[in-house]
């Protein structure tokens, strides 16, 4: 849920105060999870595109 709220706040859907509350409640584990999930999605997209083009 926190990932959805942070993404929606960067898209301008939520208020600034709600974003600051979410960022204050984020932990090191959540940052690692976010980093790994973004990397997995990026690597997956690269593999899909290269498979389709080759």
């Amino acid at each position: 849920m926190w990932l959805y709220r942070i993404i929606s706040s960067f898209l301008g859907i939520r208020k600034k105060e709600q974003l600051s509350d979410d960022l204050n409640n984020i932990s090191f584990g959540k940052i690692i999870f976010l980093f790994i999930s973004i990397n997995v999605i990026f690597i997956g997209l690269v593999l899909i595109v290269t498979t389709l083009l080759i």
Side-chain angles (χ1 to χ4, degrees):
M1 185 61 134
W2 58 271
L3 179 63
Y4 174 74
R5 290 188 295 187
I6 291 175
I7 291 172
S8 64
S9 63
F10 284 133
L11 295 175
I13 299 171
R14 302 187 67 215
K15 296 180 181 176
K16 185 178 178 181
E17 296 82 22
Q18 293 171 335
L19 174 62
S20 64
D21 291 339
D22 288 339
L23 291 177
N24 287 337
N25 293 332
I26 198 164
S27 66
F28 185 70
K30 290 180 181 178
I31 292 173
I32 296 297
F33 175 74
L34 181 64
F35 178 74
I36 290 172
S37 63
I38 288 173
N39 282 325
V40 167
I41 291 170
F42 177 73
I43 291 170
L45 288 174
V46 168
L47 289 175
I48 291 171
V49 168
T50 55
T51 304
L52 292 174
L53 293 177
I54 293 179

